[in-house]
């Protein structure tokens, strides 16, 4: 019978029909999620693409495209930290404590929204680049495990590993891959996982092992290959994915491993 004023996140697609609306209230703020029907066709000319996720760049494709890591946790760390300190100084049960707690929840919500918005944008850009996406099979619990060790066997480089863990959790590569999955399926494509072992150390041009610590961000090989470390890893992920999952295709499509796809950084098309 009446109307509501909305602050739209973005305009609705032209001609889109609204199918449903879900209203939620969080920290005193009303939000509405609109479900609309929008046809999303796959790009038939798109080549398969390999994706390497990391911290320096959130994602790097086998085509050499870098997607920035916005580091939302670092950007909003000061505001969150100040709100946490103010909350710790408040007397429990006081009116001021409730107001400060609401402010802290507001800052944390902004942080979550900032991260999610960026991840959605990166996932959309990757799906537009290639509907068949190969990613690393990540074991995030192992990757973010503490290096503290035990009293009998204390760990090494604990502070450095702790900082690396925080940066990895802030980048949220696991959520990026989750977003990629449903966006690729919606576009008529798919996301497939490959074993990431050695993808940063192997040369994507000649296959030789070039050992280098994490601090070395450039891959240089005796064969003449010279490219950014994450780009080299993304090409290896693509090559490994095409070799392992070449049979993956939509009905009526040729086997991607039989198409002679030329992988960036290699001299010859991939053989079946």
């Amino acid at each position: 019978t009446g109307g509501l004023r909305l602050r739209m996140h973005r305009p609705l697609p032209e001609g889109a029909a609204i199918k449903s609306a879900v209203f939620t209230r969080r920290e005193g703020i009303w939000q509405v999620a609109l479900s609309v029907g929008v046809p999303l066709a796959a790009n038939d000319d798109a080549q398969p693409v390999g994706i390497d996720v990391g911290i320096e760049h959130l994602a790097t494709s086998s085509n050499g495209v870098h997607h920035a890591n916005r580091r939302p946790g670092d950007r909003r760390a000061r505001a969150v930290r100040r709100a946490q300190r103010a909350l710790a100084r408040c007397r429990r049960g006081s009116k001021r404590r409730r107001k400060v707690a609401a402010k802290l929840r507001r800052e944390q919500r902004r942080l979550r929204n900032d991260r999610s918005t960026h991840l959605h944008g990166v996932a959309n850009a990757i799906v537009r680049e290639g509907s068949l996406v190969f990613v690393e099979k990540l074991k995030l619990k192992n990757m973010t495990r503490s290096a503290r060790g035990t009293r009998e066997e204390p760990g090494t480089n604990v502070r450095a590993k702790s900082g690396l863990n925080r940066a990895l959790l802030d980048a949220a590569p696991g959520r990026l891959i989750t977003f990629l999955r449903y966006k690729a399926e919606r576009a008529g494509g798919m996301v497939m996982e490959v074993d990431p072992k050695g993808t940063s150390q192997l040369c994507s041009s000649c296959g030789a092992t070039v050992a280098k610590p994490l601090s070395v961000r450039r891959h240089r090989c005796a064969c003449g290959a010279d490219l950014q470390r994450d780009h080299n890893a993304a090409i290896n992920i693509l090559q490994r994915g095409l070799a392992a999952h070449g049979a993956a295709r939509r009905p009526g499509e040729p086997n991607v491993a039989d198409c002679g796809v030329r992988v960036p950084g290699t001299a010859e098309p991939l053989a079946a």
Side-chain angles (χ1 to χ4, degrees):
T1 57
L4 292 173
R5 290 189 301 172
L6 296 178
R7 180 180 296 176
M8 300 290 290
H9 172 64
R10 62 174 181 266
L12 293 175
E14 186 176 354
I18 299 178
K19 295 184 176 181
S20 65
V22 178
F23 290 84
T24 57
R25 185 181 182 184
R26 296 176 180 173
E27 288 89 43
I29 297 176
W30 283 97
Q31 297 175 331
V32 57
L34 301 176
S35 175
V36 299
V38 179
L40 183 60
N43 183 0
D44 295 332
D45 297 328
Q47 292 286 325
V49 62
I51 298 296
D52 178 74
V53 295
I55 296 175
E56 181 183 13
H57 302 102
L58 176 60
T60 301
S61 77
S62 52
N63 296 325
V65 179
H66 296 293
H67 300 278
N69 180 10
R70 282 177 57 87
R71 303 177 187 270
D74 288 347
R75 293 158 63 94
R76 297 191 177 273
R78 183 181 180 188
V80 172
R81 185 168 57 249
R82 292 182 66 178
Q84 289 173 334
R85 289 175 177 171
L87 182 65
R89 290 193 295 266
C90 293
R91 181 167 54 86
R92 291 186 178 276
S94 66
K95 186 175 181 180
R96 173 172 171 76
R97 183 179 177 86
R98 289 194 295 271
K99 292 175 62 176
V100 173
K103 181 178 180 180
L104 175 59
R105 291 194 298 269
R106 192 161 55 244
E107 294 296 341
Q108 291 171 335
R109 185 183 65 249
R110 288 171 178 168
L111 170 59
R112 293 193 301 268
N113 291 344
D114 189 8
R115 181 182 291 116
S116 294
T117 298
H118 182 58
L119 292 176
H120 278 296
V122 172
N124 284 330
I126 291 173
V127 171
R128 284 193 293 267
E129 192 175 350
S131 57
L132 177 57
V133 183
F134 295 108
V135 298
E136 304 164 273
K137 188 175 183 179
L138 300 177
K139 297 182 179 179
L140 293 174
K141 287 187 177 180
N142 293 343
M143 294 170 63
T144 56
R145 183 175 296 167
S146 173
R148 186 172 300 171
T150 63
R151 180 175 297 180
E152 293 75 17
E153 297 182 4
T156 58
N157 297 325
V158 177
R159 289 177 63 87
K161 184 61 167 64
S162 178
L164 181 63
N165 290 348
R166 283 197 301 271
L168 191 61
L169 291 171
D170 188 23
R175 289 190 65 196
L176 174 63
I177 293 176
T178 299
F179 290 172
L180 271 175
R181 246 178 239 292
Y182 83 82
K183 291 177 187 293
E185 291 175 0
R186 190 176 62 181
M190 66 180 72
V191 172
M192 307 201 74
E193 294 180 333
V194 301
D195 182 9
K197 184 177 180 180
T199 51
S200 294
Q201 307 296 337
L202 293 177
C203 179
S204 57
S205 292
C206 67
T209 299
V210 183
K212 46 190 175 294
L214 188 60
S215 59
V216 176
R217 307 309 303 169
R218 194 92 190 155
H219 169 80
R220 293 184 174 89
C221 181
C223 71
D226 185 354
L227 64 165
Q228 205 270 346
R229 178 193 181 111
D230 296 340
H231 185 195
N232 175 72
I235 295 173
N236 283 328
I237 291 169
L238 173 60
Q239 293 173 339
R240 192 170 293 182
L242 290 175
H245 302 291
R249 60 190 184 279
R250 290 186 289 270
E253 289 187 344
N255 190 321
V256 293
D258 298 332
C259 295
V261 176
R262 187 176 299 278
V263 180
T266 60
E268 298 295 334
L270 182 70

